[in-house]
Amino acid sequence: MDLSIALPFPSITTKPFPSHLLLSRPLFPSSSPGRSLLSTRNPSSSRHNHRTPRQRLRRRVSAAVDDDDGGFVLEDVPHLSDFLPNLPLYPNPLEKSQAYAIVKYVVSLLLLSHFHSVVVHKGSPRGVHFRRAGPREKVYFKPDEVRACVVTCGGLCPGINTVIREIVCGLNYMYGVDDILGIVGGYRGFYSKNTVKLTPKVVNDIHKRGGTTLLTSRGGHDTVKIVDSIQDRGINQVYIIGGDGTQKGAALIHEEVEKRGMKVAVAGIPKTIDNDIAVIDKSFGFDTAVEEAQRAINAAHVEVECVENGVGVVKLMGRYSGFIAMHATLASRDVDCCLIPESPFYLEGQGGLFQFIESRMKENGHVVIVIAEGAGQEFVAQSIHDVNQKDASGNRLLLDVGLWLSHKIKDHFTQVREMDVNMKYIDPTYMIRAIPSNASDNIYCTLLAQSAVHGAMAGYTGFTVGPVNGKHAYIPIARVTETQNTVRLTDRMWARLLSSTNQPSFLNSCDDILLQQERVDRDMVDMIHKMKITST
């Protein structure tokens, strides 16, 4: 998905200019700077009531601009006033907040400009835009009426505890909300586990620990049971931290809430260690994971350079996408070859991996290979005749490609080439996701959590938050679950990696690369459509 930048002022362009030129033309003509298109919703209006829930979820608001390039499209997120048209509005408590007092004028100004600050998508005449995240002038909840809950689902990731902490502290410190519950054990915790009371004191130091203090699980999603629990407990704000399957579940919860006419805001915070969530720039915890992966790569490099014909294999996470492996390789400079799911490789013959390993060992005396866990799965499955198995989230259970590759390299050089090699296999798979987040991810998690809190208090629902081209936005959940990001073999980042390692691409021509990219895109869409989030 080709995305440009989120503009901090009401200006926009669709031309692929450098970022410093992307503020060159006004979004609205000077004669009408206050177009009502993006003004605050009128809660008494019933103009949205004829739309179906799916139409509201993917609502597109168009406006003609007095410009040769035509109009633009705002892909907006649902709002409580769409199906509860007469909700009262309240002043934002941030007006009296100590934290915002010193920048009161700026905040007051930005409350309006948030409606004009949009994210540009280059695929249409004026682009597809998302609503900017941040505080609004009015809110739809009184602080003493809010009962919020937080739930974490899916696999672990550095920074989950930081997000939990900042949701709790954001609700309490910024908006004066005291009633916050933690749902224990993922989605099934709504109907099979007890809740815990969350306060700033309870969560004060959880960001220093890895994992999630609320526990997590895969599967267990039963929309009716979950919404029944939300209704019975009197919860009116739901914060859901999880990956694409979890976000699909959040969308179903929002639709059920809307069908029942409940005043409940559902906010998603996207989470995945693989950095494969669509639309957003980067997932939280990714920087920490790459940084931790360096320790494994460094250890492999030290091991193999201290022996004759040393071969080090490091397996990193990356089920369908090789972002961790690619970034860790680029950051390390000690890696000779990086293998990822998006780019096929072969072992034997001219230009194969064995030939490259032999030439690199003759040149340097050792070689370090980084492989993502999803790479080469077809080879492993053929060798052990494995039947596809899936976990509770519908993900295919992966075979240990790192161990398989180590054995293959060992067998080839000792039996075929009659060379002695010293194999070192390092698998830090779960180590890189079980640690606390680093400084940059801690800051990022704070921004995500506060954006979610601002959005829920302002009445938005059925949305997920994240940065798009550097600006935080509210994104329809359907946008981040319709596909997954993969490493683009035709992009410069992969070209930079090939240049850095000087490894073979294993694809012989530009046509081969384009065909492979098309196959990856097609397989990813098919995989997304087959994924299930129901209880197993």
Side-chain angles (χ1 to χ4, degrees):
M1 185 168 294
D2 187 13
L3 295 165
S4 181
I5 65 166
L7 303 178
F9 302 103
S11 305
I12 190 171
T13 183
T14 59
K15 295 181 174 61
F17 289 161
S19 59
H20 67 280
L21 297 177
L22 286 174
L23 300 178
S24 57
R25 281 187 287 162
L27 177 61
F28 301 109
S30 58
S31 59
S32 57
R35 288 260 190 176
S36 61
L37 166 71
L38 298 179
S39 60
T40 308
R41 285 179 172 86
N42 180 357
S44 63
S45 172
S46 61
R47 59 190 175 91
H48 301 294
N49 290 347
H50 65 283
R51 295 190 177 98
T52 66
R54 176 59 60 185
Q55 287 173 324
R56 294 178 197 141
L57 181 63
R58 300 299 303 274
R59 179 172 62 251
R60 294 174 180 269
V61 185
S62 300
V65 179
D66 188 14
D67 195 296
D68 293 338
D69 287 339
F72 69 88
V73 175
L74 171 68
E75 186 160 342
D76 209 358
V77 295
H79 193 273
L80 292 175
S81 62
D82 293 342
F83 57 94
L84 299 172
N86 297 310
L87 292 177
L89 283 163
Y90 309 102
N92 194 322
L94 288 178
E95 292 180 359
K96 301 178 181 179
S97 167
Q98 275 190 332
Y100 283 85
I102 194 169
V103 290
K104 186 171 182 179
Y105 172 75
V106 177
V107 171
S108 177
L109 178 65
L110 290 180
L111 288 174
L112 176 61
S113 68
H114 278 145
F115 291 98
H116 302 300
S117 304
V118 293
V119 177
V120 184
H121 184 283
K122 296 178 184 174
S124 69
R126 293 292 284 185
V128 173
H129 320 286
F130 302 112
R131 191 176 291 272
R132 280 289 299 275
R136 268 35 184 192
E137 187 176 4
K138 300 290 184 180
V139 296
Y140 282 75
F141 293 93
K142 285 183 177 180
D144 57 359
E145 294 177 350
V146 173
R147 167 167 271 202
C149 74
V150 186
V151 63
T152 59
C153 307
L156 298 182
C157 181
I160 297 178
N161 279 334
T162 305
V163 176
I164 296 171
R165 181 189 189 278
E166 296 309 319
I167 289 174
V168 174
C169 292
L171 282 167
N172 185 266
Y173 295 156
M174 293 191 296
Y175 289 97
V177 174
D178 294 320
D179 195 356
I180 309 168
L181 302 176
I183 305 298
V184 178
Y187 273 139
R188 60 171 50 89
F190 276 100
Y191 53 85
S192 64
K193 298 280 187 180
N194 291 326
T195 61
V196 295
K197 177 78 172 178
L198 298 178
T199 65
K201 185 175 181 179
V202 170
V203 302
N204 181 56
D205 63 350
I206 64 173
H207 63 290
K208 299 176 182 178
R209 305 194 293 273
T212 166
T213 59
L214 295 179
L215 309 185
T216 186
S217 66
R218 296 187 183 275
H221 186 278
D222 187 313
T223 305
V224 174
K225 285 185 179 180
I226 291 171
V227 177
D228 283 346
S229 174
I230 291 170
Q231 194 167 20
D232 292 343
R233 296 177 189 272
I235 295 169
N236 51 21
Q237 288 186 12
V238 182
Y239 297 91
I240 300 173
I241 306 168
D244 50 2
T246 300
Q247 299 304 314
K248 285 183 178 180
L252 293 179
I253 292 171
H254 157 69
E255 290 179 5
E256 180 67 18
V257 162
E258 180 176 350
K259 186 169 70 175
R260 299 188 189 188
M262 298 164 56
K263 184 185 176 182
V264 177
V266 180
I269 296 92
K271 169 204 66 68
T272 172
I273 199 169
D274 292 340
N275 196 37
D276 58 0
I277 292 179
V279 180
I280 66 173
D281 296 345
K282 182 175 63 176
S283 56
F284 73 82
F286 177 71
D287 283 350
T288 304
V290 171
E291 186 177 300
E292 184 68 10
Q294 298 301 290
R295 298 177 60 186
I297 294 173
N298 291 341
H301 184 253
V302 169
E303 287 284 345
V304 299
E305 72 175 354
C306 294
V307 295
E308 186 177 1
N309 292 335
V311 179
V313 175
V314 180
K315 186 184 77 173
L316 298 176
M317 281 193 159
R319 181 182 297 274
Y320 302 109
S321 57
F323 286 107
I324 292 178
M326 180 176 69
H327 282 257
T329 296
L330 279 168
S332 171
R333 308 296 177 180
D334 288 330
V335 178
D336 296 283
C337 186
C338 176
L339 305 173
I340 60 175
E342 297 88 338
S343 182
F345 65 93
Y346 56 96
L347 301 178
E348 301 176 344
Q350 184 68 26
L353 182 62
F354 289 156
Q355 185 185 69
F356 172 75
I357 292 173
E358 186 171 350
S359 65
R360 191 56 63 93
M361 280 197 297
K362 288 179 180 178
E363 180 182 352
N364 297 332
H366 60 268
V367 62
V368 175
I369 300 169
V370 166
I371 183 167
E373 60 181 342
Q377 287 292 314
E378 65 277 11
F379 298 141
V380 194
Q382 289 172 7
S383 66
I384 65 175
H385 308 289
D386 180 77
V387 178
N388 283 337
Q389 297 181 358
K390 297 186 177 182
D391 63 17
S393 294
N395 298 313
R396 181 165 54 99
L397 291 175
L398 299 180
L399 306 170
D400 193 340
V401 68
L403 193 59
W404 170 85
L405 181 62
S406 299
H407 288 315
K408 283 291 185 180
I409 295 172
K410 180 85 171 177
D411 292 344
H412 173 80
F413 282 99
T414 57
Q415 298 175 15
V416 179
R417 302 299 295 168
E418 296 182 349
M419 293 172 54
D420 288 330
V421 293
N422 285 283
M423 287 299 308
K424 307 294 180 183
Y425 175 48
I426 298 179
D427 180 0
T429 305
Y430 293 101
M431 291 175 60
I432 70 172
R433 76 177 196 177
I435 61 173
S437 52
N438 63 14
S440 64
D441 272 325
N442 270 334
I443 295 171
Y444 180 25
C445 290
T446 301
L447 297 178
L448 289 173
Q450 291 190 0
S451 293
V453 168
H454 292 315
M457 290 298 296
Y460 297 112
T461 182
F463 68 90
T464 191
V465 297
V468 184
N469 299 306
K471 304 296 181 182
H472 283 252
Y474 296 133
I475 308 165
I477 292 177
R479 263 295 192 175
V480 299
T481 59
E482 62 189 359
T483 186
Q484 284 181 321
N485 276 348
T486 57
V487 173
R488 308 291 297 182
L489 302 182
T490 54
D491 279 1
R492 290 182 181 177
M493 189 61 78
W494 184 242
R496 293 182 183 114
L497 181 139
L498 296 178
S499 299
S500 173
T501 60
N502 199 26
Q503 71 183 64
S505 70
F506 302 105
L507 295 169
N508 297 322
S509 67
C510 291
D511 289 340
D512 289 342
I513 295 173
L514 292 172
L515 287 173
Q516 173 63 16
Q517 188 62 63
E518 290 176 3
R519 186 190 69 79
V520 170
D521 293 342
R522 184 174 59 253
D523 290 349
M524 187 59 65
V525 171
D526 291 343
M527 183 272 294
I528 291 293
H529 289 162
K530 292 177 183 177
M531 283 186 64
K532 300 183 184 300
I533 59 163
T534 53
S535 177
T536 59

